[in-house]
């Protein structure tokens, strides 16, 4: 699986877990005119989407680039106090799920990769709250304004709380088969990694504890097709 992140200088980096090697895809410098932010890798590992920001004006752009560093282009841009943070790709690589912020208001949106058209799904608080599209491309798990983990259809319909009794849970990603969502929860008093069964975009069973004693500062990095969960402890 390929993981993406930005380094201390804002460069966009891919890490290949199979060989344990990282590669700078787009070189950037925070001391320069613009710098890079959050990123997301396509399901096939061939594309990376990332946000950029400009000093002074705070203009923001959403860009896509091939994993070898070629073919970079801007698909959406905003002027003024703005931020665009890609979260995930649809399985067909046609759309990006992204937080799009302008003048302190943030919406979880779908951005068309071909023409940059933006469709707002839900208003969210933005920041480092995660969101993912299910493996079949039908559903989205995200964090609502009230802090609860929710699931909705890709068009924004059918929205409902996934874990209604646990408002401080954080989503960690979809199970590879799409039949559940991983969450970090204090359901038993200490942070643990739980799997919430999901069927047709709805919670369909009791959560199951996968690993207890996970640090509260655990952040998801990626989930492989064979079920390996990659994470960062801060």
């Amino acid at each position: 699986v390929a993981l993406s992140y930005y380094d201390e200088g804002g460069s966009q980096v891919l890490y290949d877990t199979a060989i344990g090697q990282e590669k700078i895809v787009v070189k950037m410098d925070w001391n320069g005119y613009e710098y890079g932010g959050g990123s997301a890798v396509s399901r096939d590992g061939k594309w990376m989407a990332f946000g950029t920001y400009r000093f002074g004006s705070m203009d923001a752009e959403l860009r896509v680039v091939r994993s070898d560093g070629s073919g970079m282009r801007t698909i959406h841009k905003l002027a003024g106090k703005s931020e665009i943070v890609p979260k995930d790709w649809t399985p067909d690589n046609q759309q990006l799920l992204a937080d799009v912020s302008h003048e302190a208001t943030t919406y979880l949106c779908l951005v068309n990769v071909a023409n940059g058209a933006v469709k707002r799904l839900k208003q969210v608080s933005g920041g480092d709250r995660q969101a993912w599209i299910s493996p079949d491309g039908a559903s989205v798990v995200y964090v609502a304004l009230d802090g609860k983990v929710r699931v909705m259809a890709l068009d924004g319909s059918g929205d409902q709380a996934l874990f209604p009794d646990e408002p401080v849970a954080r989503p960690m990603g979809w199970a590879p088969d799409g039949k559940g969502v991983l969450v970090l929860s204090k359901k038993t008093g200490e942070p643990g990694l739980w799997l919430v069964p999901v069927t047709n975009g709805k919670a369909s069973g009791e959560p199951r504890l996968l690993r207890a004693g996970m640090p509260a500062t655990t952040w998801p990095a990626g989930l492989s097709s064979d079920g390996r969960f990659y994470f960062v402890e801060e």
Side-chain angles (χ1 to χ4, degrees), residues 188-204:
T188 58
E190 66 173 355
L193 186 65
W194 294 75
L195 177 67
V196 183
V198 174
T199 302
N200 297 324
K202 299 179 181 180
S204 58

Side-chain angles (χ1 to χ4, degrees), residues 170 184 191 214-220 232-234:
R170 288 196 284 114
L184 188 71
M214 298 284 284
T217 53
T218 297
W219 297 97
V232 177
E233 294 180 3
E234 293 185 350

Side-chain angles (χ1 to χ4, degrees), residues 69-230:
S70 66
M72 185 170 67
R73 62 187 178 89
T74 296
I75 62 172
H76 189 69
K77 61 176 63 179
L78 292 170
K81 188 177 180 181
S82 306
E83 184 178 19
I84 307 175
V85 182
K87 302 293 185 178
D88 201 2
W89 293 70
T90 54
D92 61 6
N93 294 343
Q94 300 298 306
Q95 298 185 91
L96 281 165
L97 185 68
D99 278 353
V100 180
S101 304
H102 185 65
E103 300 298 336
T105 301
T106 303
Y107 287 92
L108 186 62
C109 300
L110 283 175
V111 184
N112 187 291
V113 175
N115 59 25
V118 174
K119 177 183 178 180
R120 290 178 176 176
L121 299 178
K122 299 290 178 179
Q123 186 176 353
V124 294
S125 61
D128 54 12
R129 293 188 173 184
Q130 300 293 325
W132 287 275
I133 298 170
S134 60
D136 64 2
S139 303
V140 174
V141 62
Y142 76 105
V143 180
L145 282 171
D146 63 4
K148 288 190 175 183
V149 181
R150 302 184 70 88
V151 176
M152 62 182 169
L154 190 62
D155 63 3
S157 64
D159 191 311
Q160 63 177 294
L162 177 68
F163 215 17
D165 296 329
E166 181 51 83
V168 297
R170 288 196 284 114
M172 298 282 111
W174 288 88
D177 61 6
K179 295 181 179 180
V181 172
L182 297 176
V183 297
L184 188 71
S185 166
K186 293 183 179 180
K187 185 176 176 64
T188 58
E190 66 173 355
L193 186 65
W194 294 75
L195 177 67
V196 183
V198 174
T199 302
N200 297 324
K202 299 179 181 180
S204 58
E206 288 296 316
R208 176 165 58 94
L209 181 63
L210 300 180
R211 181 181 177 185
M214 298 284 284
T217 53
T218 297
W219 297 97
L223 194 67
S224 66
S225 59
D226 61 3
R228 287 175 294 171
F229 176 59
Y230 295 87

